[in-house]
Amino acid sequence: MAATNTIITAILDALSPGRRRARPAGSAPSGPASGYPGDFRGRTTLTYAPHPDNIADPGEVVWTWVPYEEDHSEGKDRPVLVIGRDGPWLLALPMTSKDHDRDAAQEADEGRYWVEIGSGGWDRQRRVSEVRVNRIVRVDPDRVRRISERISPERFQAVAEAVQRHW
């Protein structure tokens, strides 16, 4: 089985430029991402494409360093939902366990829109999480610290529709 997974991974790597393995736990660089080109502003195709390997793919929740919106030189380690690619960059949506249903009007007034994706292994307390659907961050695949798990195709579709609606 391990040999089969290695072969599949090698084939996927060869056929998918930009796919890179997640760093082993604890080995990802911390602190600001040097050379961060800014948040993604273009159009992209959102395709659910998780693979059973240690490479971050659309549809998977990963942990990485995410720059703050107001100052890209600062940020924090947090989970994000990978939704696509932009050249060598992964495209991802920042996640939170804060319930924005209670302050949805205030968040909308501030230009922030959230969609609930449920709970998962990305949160030790298994709290319900939300993704911000109108901020797409670029993630250096080499800075992915951990791939947590994939979300369901149905949840991904709901997120993709919300991204398109708010983009």
Side-chain angles (χ1 to χ4, degrees), residues 145-157:
R145 182 172 57 80
R146 176 171 67 96
I147 298 173
S148 180
E149 63 188 70
R150 68 182 66 169
I151 64 171
S152 72
E154 297 80 18
R155 288 185 198 267
F156 188 85
Q157 183 61 36

Side-chain angles (χ1 to χ4, degrees), residues 103-158:
D103 63 351
Q106 177 185 348
E107 285 293 293
D109 285 346
E110 296 291 328
R112 295 183 294 262
Y113 299 93
W114 301 87
V115 169
E116 184 178 303
I117 62 165
S119 61
W122 55 82
D123 184 288
R124 287 188 184 133
Q125 298 172 6
R126 299 203 62 90
R127 295 172 289 191
V128 172
S129 295
E130 297 179 358
V131 293
R132 182 166 170 198
V133 294
N134 71 320
R135 180 181 183 212
I136 301 175
V137 296
R138 289 182 173 107
V139 173
D140 180 343
D142 289 336
R143 295 181 67 83
V144 170
R145 182 172 57 80
R146 176 171 67 96
I147 298 173
S148 180
E149 63 188 70
R150 68 182 66 169
I151 64 171
S152 72
E154 297 80 18
R155 288 185 198 267
F156 188 85
Q157 183 61 36

Side-chain angles (χ1 to χ4, degrees), residues 10-136:
I11 292 168
L12 289 171
D13 287 348
L15 296 175
S16 303
R19 282 176 48 93
R20 295 190 194 146
R21 296 185 193 330
R23 289 179 154 307
S27 68
S30 60
S34 62
Y36 183 68
D39 292 355
F40 183 76
R41 302 275 184 228
R43 291 249 181 231
T44 188
T45 303
L46 283 70
T47 305
Y48 184 76
H51 298 284
D53 55 22
N54 63 344
I55 299 170
D57 298 305
E60 294 177 332
V61 173
V62 304
W63 278 85
T64 189
W65 190 87
V66 177
Y68 292 136
E69 189 170 13
E70 59 279 351
D71 181 356
H72 292 158
S73 69
E74 296 184 25
K76 67 179 180 177
D77 194 55
R78 66 180 313 131
V80 297
L81 173 63
V82 178
I83 60 167
R85 290 190 176 80
D86 177 36
W89 299 93
L90 296 171
L91 298 178
L93 304 175
M95 294 175 57
T96 185
S97 58
K98 182 178 178 187
D99 182 4
H100 287 290
D101 289 345
R102 294 182 236 170
D103 63 351
Q106 177 185 348
E107 285 293 293
D109 285 346
E110 296 291 328
R112 295 183 294 262
Y113 299 93
W114 301 87
V115 169
E116 184 178 303
I117 62 165
S119 61
W122 55 82
D123 184 288
R124 287 188 184 133
Q125 298 172 6
R126 299 203 62 90
R127 295 172 289 191
V128 172
S129 295
E130 297 179 358
V131 293
R132 182 166 170 198
V133 294
N134 71 320
R135 180 181 183 212
I136 301 175

